[in-house]
Amino acid sequence: MLKLTLKDVREYQDRMNVVRANGFKAKDFKELGRELRDKFNLTDRQAISILNGKSDEILSILEMEEI
């Protein structure tokens, strides 16, 4: 299993910005969220928080990765 890094978070947020710029479609958001969730063994809520840029939650996720 891969460990989530800050670089990964930024990459997925950049990809989310592309989804938004292309006329946000729920299908694309869900697909990106599932990819993120499965790649790093996250919960749905954690993946959504990352894609939506929830800073406090992202920090909590990264802290858990350090353990």
Side-chain angles (χ1 to χ4, degrees), residues 2-56:
L2 294 174
K3 282 201 139 221
L4 182 70
T5 65
L6 185 54
K7 182 179 177 182
D8 298 317
V9 170
R10 289 188 178 166
E11 175 190 333
Y12 275 91
Q13 288 177 337
D14 288 345
R15 290 176 63 187
M16 185 63 209
N17 287 335
V18 171
V19 168
R20 285 186 181 112
N22 290 335
F24 184 88
K25 294 180 183 129
K27 177 185 112 182
D28 296 332
F29 176 78
K30 288 178 183 179
E31 185 177 300
L32 188 58
R34 284 185 193 119
E35 178 185 320
L36 176 60
R37 177 197 65 196
D38 294 345
K39 184 174 182 178
F40 296 103
N41 196 31
L42 301 171
T43 66
D44 288 334
R45 178 88 299 222
Q46 289 172 321
I48 291 167
S49 293
I50 290 169
L51 294 179
N52 287 329
K54 304 285 183 177
S55 301
D56 290 339

